[in-house]
Amino acid sequence: MVAMQFFHTLWSFFIILSVIVFVHEFGHYIIAKLCGVKITAFSIGFGKELVGWNDKSGTRWKIAMLPLGGYVKMFGDASAASTADEDAIERMSEADKKQTFHFKPLHKKAAIVVAGPVANFLLTIVIFTWFIMTVGLPSADPVVGQIMPGSPAESAGLAPGDRITQINEDKVTSFNDIPYLIATNLGTPVTLLVLRGDKELHMTLVPKEVEDDDGLGNKTKHPVIGIKSVEIKYQNVGLIKALDESVHRTYMICTSTLKVIGQMASGKRGPGDLKGPVGIAQLSGQATGKDFNTALWLIAMLSANLGLVNLFPIPLLDGGHLAYYAAEALSGRPLAQKVQEYGFKAGFVILFSLMAFTLLNDLSRLL
C-alpha cells in the first residue's frame, strides 16, 4: 500500500510538472522558431535521456531522467543555459549564424526569453477560463453576509450588508478578492473602505491567523477577518468576461506571491510556506488522487508561480537573461563574457541553495 502510494505520488509529480515545463519551454520554442532560430534539442527534465526522437527539422525531442525542469537548446548554444559556444560560432558560415539565437537582434532575444513565463501565465488563464466557462462564474459581491462572533470584523464594527470596496490601496470587486488581499497581513493592520448605505466608512482591523484544511488533507495557516459572503451563485458568462476574470485571478496570485516572498526576505514571515520538490510532489499526489479538476487547479497555480519566479533577475533564470539584455540595451554593448560567466555561477549557487533549503523544509514537515 505504501509502495503504491509512493509511485502514485511520484507519477503524479512527473505528469503535473512535465505539463507545466512543456508549456514553458514550448513558449521559448515557438517564438524562437518564428524568429528564425534553429532548435537542436527540446528536453523535459535534465540528465540522461530516457526516450527521444528527431523531427524533420533536426530537433531532438526527449524526456530525461530528472524531471525537475527542462530546456530548449538552440543552435550555437554551448549548454542548456543558452551560453554561446564561441568556438563553434567562429567556425560557422554567415548562413548558419543567421540561425543562431546569439546573432539575433536584442528585441528578438528578449521576446524568445520572455515567451516561456508568458506561456505559463497563459496556461493559468486558459485553465481558469475553462473552469468559469464550464462551471460558471461565482457571483458574490464584496458584501458582508455574516459576522463571526469574536472576530476582528466584529471588533472593528463591520455589519451584515456592508460593502467592502477597498482594502489598503487595492480595489475590491469580488468577495473572492478579500482572501488574496489579506493573505500577507500577518499581525499587521489592514484598512477597509466600507460602503454602508450611502455612507463611506474607514475601518482598521488586524486579521487573525487560523488553521484550516486546504481541501487536500493538509493543515494550512492563513489570516481571516471573520466574515462570510452572501449566497454565492454561479452565473453563465461569455468568453470575454471569463477571460477578464481569469486574468484578474492570475494577477492576484502573482501579487500575493510577491508579497509573501517580500515578507520572507524581510523576516516578517517564516519559511514554512516554501515548498520544494518533495512538497510539490506530495501536493501533486493528493490533487490527482482527489479528482481531475483539483489536479487542473494545481497545474494553474504552479504554472503562474513558475512564470513569476522565472522573471526574477537571477542568472540562469529567464529574468537573469532579460537583465543582461537590459544592461546591453543601456550600455550599447553586451556585458563582458567574464561578467556573464560569474553571473551564471552566482545564479547556480543561489538556485542550488534555494533547492536544498526547500528540500530540507519539505523533509522537516514530514519528520
Side-chain angles (χ1 to χ4, degrees):
M1 185 69 179
V2 174
M4 288 181 63
Q5 185 176 3
F6 172 78
F7 283 112
H8 169 76
T9 298
L10 197 63
W11 181 247
S12 300
F13 174 65
F14 172 75
I15 293 297
I16 285 178
L17 195 61
S18 293
V19 168
I20 298 167
V21 169
F22 176 83
V23 168
H24 179 94
E25 297 304 331
F26 192 75
H28 293 311
Y29 170 85
I30 195 66
I31 300 301
K33 294 285 282 186
L34 290 173
C35 290
V37 176
K38 182 179 178 181
I39 308 298
T40 59
F42 187 115
S43 178
I44 301 298
F46 297 100
K48 185 179 179 181
E49 178 181 318
L50 297 177
V51 61
W53 63 94
N54 292 335
D55 66 16
K56 293 179 180 179
S57 66
T59 301
R60 181 69 177 176
W61 297 76
K62 56 185 178 180
I63 297 173
M65 184 174 291
L66 296 174
L68 297 177
Y71 61 89
V72 170
K73 188 176 180 184
M74 304 180 201
F75 189 48
D77 287 352
S79 66
S82 288
T83 52
D85 187 341
E86 301 291 349
D87 293 336
I89 288 175
E90 283 183 10
R91 296 192 298 270
M92 285 182 184
S93 65
E94 290 303 314
D96 283 342
K97 287 179 180 179
K98 290 180 180 179
Q99 297 184 79
T100 67
F101 171 82
H102 305 283
F103 279 85
K104 293 298 177 183
L106 204 56
H107 69 278
K108 288 189 176 182
K109 288 182 182 179
I112 293 168
V113 169
V114 81
V118 168
N120 283 126
F121 295 139
L122 289 176
L123 174 61
T124 301
I125 291 167
V126 166
I127 291 174
F128 285 163
T129 301
W130 183 84
F131 276 132
I132 293 170
M133 295 293 289
T134 55
V135 178
L137 179 64
S139 177
D141 289 336
V143 175
V144 178
Q146 183 181 349
I147 304 290
M148 308 308 293
S151 66
E154 184 182 56
S155 300
L158 274 169
D162 286 348
R163 176 181 288 269
I164 300 173
T165 60
Q166 188 171 313
I167 296 180
N168 294 329
E169 303 300 322
D170 297 299
K171 298 292 184 184
V172 179
T173 59
S174 162
F175 198 90
N176 290 332
D177 292 345
I178 297 172
Y180 284 112
L181 294 175
I182 67 169
T184 55
N185 288 90
L186 299 174
T188 58
V190 296
T191 301
L192 309 181
L193 183 61
V194 176
L195 190 63
R196 179 177 294 170
D198 58 355
K199 293 182 180 179
E200 278 193 344
L201 305 174
H202 289 83
M203 298 181 181
T204 300
L205 52 80
V206 178
K208 179 174 67 175
E209 190 173 69
V210 299
E211 188 174 76
D212 257 334
D213 190 294
D214 65 356
L216 296 174
N218 306 304
K219 294 298 182 183
T220 178
K221 293 182 178 181
H222 59 94
V224 300
I225 61 175
I227 61 173
K228 291 186 177 180
S229 69
V230 293
E231 182 183 1
I232 298 177
K233 298 178 180 179
Y234 289 85
Q235 60 182 19
N236 294 324
V237 296
L239 179 60
I240 300 300
K241 177 63 178 176
L243 282 170
D244 179 66
E245 178 65 23
S246 299
V247 170
H248 177 67
R249 291 184 185 183
T250 304
Y251 170 78
M252 296 293 285
I253 291 169
C254 292
T255 53
S256 296
T257 300
L258 287 174
K259 288 178 181 178
V260 168
I261 292 172
Q263 289 179 338
M264 288 181 181
S266 64
K268 294 179 180 178
R269 179 189 288 259
D273 293 330
L274 280 177
K275 283 185 169 60
V278 174
I280 295 173
Q282 186 181 26
L283 283 176
S284 300
Q286 292 167 338
T288 56
K290 190 170 184 181
D291 54 49
F292 175 74
N293 281 348
T294 304
L296 205 57
W297 173 85
L298 181 62
I299 288 173
M301 298 294 289
L302 291 176
S303 187
N305 280 282
L306 177 65
L308 178 64
V309 169
N310 258 281
L311 289 175
F312 289 176
I314 300 173
L316 290 185
L317 296 181
D318 295 327
H321 290 285
L322 292 172
Y324 282 170
Y325 301 151
E328 182 178 343
L330 290 172
S331 65
R333 61 180 184 276
L335 289 174
Q337 193 64 32
K338 281 291 183 184
V339 173
Q340 295 191 44
E341 289 175 4
Y342 287 138
F344 284 126
K345 289 177 182 177
F348 175 80
V349 171
I350 292 170
L351 295 177
F352 180 81
S353 300
L354 183 60
M355 180 73 76
F357 178 78
T358 55
L359 181 59
L360 290 173
N361 210 25
D362 289 341
L363 295 176
S364 70
R365 279 193 292 264
L366 294 175
L367 298 178

